[in-house]
């Protein structure tokens, strides 16, 4: 009673117990003395060594428990007064491994697991950690974005530089190729065409005929060194 008593001892207080620590459910696991003794006797030696789970200690504690919890005077009577009725479970009747049937019975009675939530101070700390974590993630994401943009810019500039150098090289090679290919043609023109053509143009400038093109063509035909 003292454990669950309200902190304020005012006689006018309506609550007869401290709700913050009073359990919602009370479970009574019941078994006979013979069952408990057999269970302890079957424990592995490493679990019994240097513990109170020896037969002698069990019988002593079991007698003390039975004496202090008579039929009409038990701790469960206290909970009954506040309509928190204990749930008795006879574990002797559960033959499933690790008392799984008993666990399932308790789950059906109690319902889904509950989380009564953190204290206001814990909530504040959790919110602060969440904000810090969110800020850290946003900072990391922004840094990663900037890093990727920098890498892409550097790669783009490198490719543009390589492309420009390659283009300049190709243009130079084409120019050299054209110059190389034009040497025979230039030599041919300088030797066989330009002397006669130059003289014809000078003649056109002197005479100034009405049809200079036809005059030049006729001049070239007459002055062609290969025509007899």
């Amino acid at each position: 009673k003292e454990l669950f008593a309200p902190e304020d001892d005012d006689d006018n207080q309506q609550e007869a117990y401290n709700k913050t620590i009073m359990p919602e459910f009370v479970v009574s696991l019941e078994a006979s003395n013979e069952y408990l003794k057999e269970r302890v006797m079957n424990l592995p030696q490493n679990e019994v060594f240097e513990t109170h789970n020896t037969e002698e200690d069990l019988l002593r504690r079991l007698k003390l428990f039975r004496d202090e919890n008579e039929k009409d005077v038990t701790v469960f009577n206290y909970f009954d007064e506040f309509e928190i009725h204990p749930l008795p479970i006879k574990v002797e009747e559960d033959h499933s491994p690790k008392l799984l049937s008993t666990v399932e019975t308790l789950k059906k009675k109690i319902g889904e697991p509950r989380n009564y939530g953190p204290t206001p101070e814990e909530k504040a700390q959790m919110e602060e950690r969440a904000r810090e974590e969110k800020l850290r993630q946003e900072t990391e994401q922004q840094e990663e974005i900037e890093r990727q943009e920098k890498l892409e810019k550097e790669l783009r500039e490198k490719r543009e530089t390589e492309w420009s150098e390659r283009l300049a090289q190709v243009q130079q090679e084409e120019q050299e190729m054209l110059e190389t290919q034009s040497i025979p043609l230039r030599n041919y023109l300088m030797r066989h065409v330009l002397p006669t053509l130059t003289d014809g143009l000078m003649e056109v400038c002197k005479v100034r005929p009405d049809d200079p093109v036809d005059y030049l063509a006729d001049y070239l035909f007459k002055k062609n060194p290969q025509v007899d």
Side-chain angles (χ1 to χ4, degrees):
K1 291 183 179 181
E2 289 78 6
L3 176 63
F4 299 104
E7 297 180 359
D8 191 350
D9 294 332
D10 189 353
D11 295 336
N12 296 327
Q13 185 174 355
Q14 295 180 357
E15 300 295 344
Y17 58 87
N18 191 338
K19 282 188 174 182
T20 60
I21 61 174
M22 177 64 77
E24 292 184 54
F25 302 94
V26 176
V27 178
S28 172
L29 301 178
E30 301 177 354
S32 63
N33 291 357
E34 289 72 18
Y35 175 84
L36 296 175
K37 285 191 291 184
E38 182 180 358
R39 185 174 177 83
V40 169
M41 292 298 295
N42 291 330
L43 288 175
Q45 183 63 31
N46 61 336
E47 294 184 14
V48 177
F49 183 70
E50 293 185 350
T51 69
H52 294 287
N53 289 328
T54 62
E55 182 178 2
E56 180 181 354
D57 286 332
L58 172 66
L59 293 176
R60 176 181 56 79
R61 288 185 286 118
L62 189 56
K63 182 179 184 304
L64 179 63
F65 176 80
R66 300 299 188 197
D67 292 341
E68 293 182 352
N69 291 273
E70 298 178 357
K71 184 175 181 180
D72 297 327
V73 183
T74 69
V75 68
F76 301 118
N77 299 130
Y78 173 77
F79 296 106
D80 276 328
E81 294 178 5
F82 301 109
E83 300 299 325
I84 304 175
H85 304 295
L87 174 63
I89 295 180
K90 296 185 179 299
V91 294
E92 290 181 85
E93 299 175 359
D94 186 355
H95 302 291
S96 63
K98 297 184 179 180
L99 300 178
L100 291 180
S101 296
T102 299
V103 174
E104 291 299 323
T105 301
L106 291 174
K107 288 169 63 177
K108 292 178 181 178
K109 174 65 177 178
I110 298 174
E112 294 297 325
R114 294 172 175 80
N115 184 354
Y116 292 93
T119 63
E121 292 78 9
E122 292 173 335
K123 283 185 178 180
Q125 293 176 358
M126 293 170 61
E127 292 174 354
E128 180 63 24
R129 286 195 295 268
R131 285 193 295 269
E132 293 176 354
E133 178 64 18
K134 182 179 179 181
L135 179 61
R136 184 187 65 80
Q137 292 179 356
E138 291 177 349
T139 302
E140 291 180 353
Q141 291 176 355
Q142 184 62 32
E143 291 176 351
E144 178 64 17
I145 292 174
E146 293 176 355
R147 188 180 69 85
Q148 290 294 335
E149 291 178 347
K150 182 179 179 181
L151 290 176
E152 291 176 358
K153 180 180 179 182
E154 292 176 352
L155 181 60
R156 184 169 60 254
E157 292 177 349
K158 181 180 179 181
R159 289 177 176 175
E160 290 177 353
T161 301
E162 292 176 351
W163 184 85
S164 299
E165 293 175 352
R166 179 59 180 168
L167 180 60
Q169 182 180 359
V170 170
Q171 291 175 342
Q172 181 178 357
E173 291 175 354
E174 290 179 349
Q175 181 66 27
E176 292 175 354
M177 182 180 65
L178 290 175
E179 291 178 357
T180 301
Q181 292 176 350
S182 66
I183 291 176
L185 179 61
R186 189 164 58 248
N187 292 337
Y188 174 82
L189 293 174
M190 292 293 294
R191 177 177 298 179
H192 301 288
V193 177
L194 289 179
T196 304
L197 179 62
T198 302
D199 292 341
L201 292 173
M202 293 176 63
E203 185 67 19
V204 169
C205 292
K206 292 177 181 179
V207 177
R208 297 188 178 185
D210 295 335
D211 189 352
V213 176
D214 185 66
Y215 183 86
L216 178 61
D218 184 63
Y219 178 86
L220 293 175
F221 181 75
K222 291 178 180 180
K223 296 297 183 178
N224 185 358
Q226 298 183 3
V227 177
D228 295 336

